[in-house]
Amino acid sequence: MGLKDKLTQLRDEGMAEIRNSKDLQKINEVRVKMLGKKGPITSVLRGMKELSAEERPVVGKFANKVRDELTTAIEDRRAELEQAELDAQLAEEKLDVTLPGTPVAQGQSHVIQQIIDQVVDLFVSMGYEVAVGDEVEQEVYNFEKLNLPKDHPARDMQDTFYVTPTVLMRTQTSPMQARMLEKHDFSQGPLKMISPGKVYRRDTDDATHSHQFNQIEGMVVGKHITMADLKGTLEVVAQSLFGDKLQVRLRPSYFPFTEPSVEADITCFNCMGKGCAICKHTGWIEVLGAGMVHPNVLKMSGVDPEEYGGFAFGLGPDRFAMLKYGVDDIRNFYQNDVRFLNQFDEKG
Ligand SMILES: [Zn+2]
């Protein structure tokens, strides 16, 4: 048999093997067997040196043609098999969308945040703007501009974390009063603001004290604002948080940044004023501090106390939450035990 016939036979055998290859592994084996260095075509080409000078280019050209045909056939078959394999894989991985999914545990707002949101929403609905300040504050805004000069004894009421001699962790949200008074354009109407946020005191943590807690500060400054406006506002807050039959009582108190200053009590929501353990049998519960903004505070922020005046109040959402839910240890709110926190499901 001549080399050309041998090549034709090899080609026909190869083509049959390629057609019969059922998977990628098999087609790969065929490729190595037919076209590899030890394959029959290579050995035919080696035998070409025995041929005459006239025959050699003819057989060489034919050998190249056979190799090209086989290579193309192998590649086509391989592409076919790859596609078939992919189709099979896709069919197998088909999603059953009717299967139930893995349940995802849904989080919720922290109980203190729920109270803050409730109070803030209430004030926003009454046209107050929300002013969130920085927890790191300049001493001058935390104290001086709130009528607490350097050696004022009331500074001792608030043990302070200092960052530098003039920068501190704010001990109250009141610095936002001074900052907003400085910024506000009173020709556009009164300033009505609410400022929720975290504050810090150098306190030893116990059942009723925490070195970090929350405050919500509110202030209204404008023309003709009176103590009656303050009382009415506090009634709205108390009733929206604790129930609409509650009354508010104001008692004289002292804060450096208000004059006069008051403590606000609400009717005990537990006994409705009859007297119980929660209200220590007085029928009243102290919920916040308030007063008419001190003329010095207005003056120091460039507001004329002869022309403008108003009220301010500060309440503690932590204390509100303790009262509302009967929690007797403030530390529970900050230890982040989800078994405790999950009890206050806002949806439930
Ligand atoms: Zn009571």
Side-chain angles (χ1 to χ4, degrees), residues 164-181:
T164 74
T166 56
V167 175
L168 44 75
M169 301 304 290
R170 65 178 178 192
T171 60
Q172 48 196 354
T173 41
S174 314
M176 283 316 284
Q177 285 189 17
R179 289 186 175 278
M180 294 300 281
L181 281 170

Side-chain angles (χ1 to χ4, degrees), residues 267-285:
T267 317
C268 175
F269 52 84
N270 188 49
C271 61
M272 294 313 285
K274 289 191 197 82
C276 70
I278 290 180
C279 59
K280 300 195 182 77
H281 302 282
T282 61
W284 295 95
I285 292 178

Side-chain angles (χ1 to χ4, degrees), residues 57 100 115 154 232:
I115 301 235

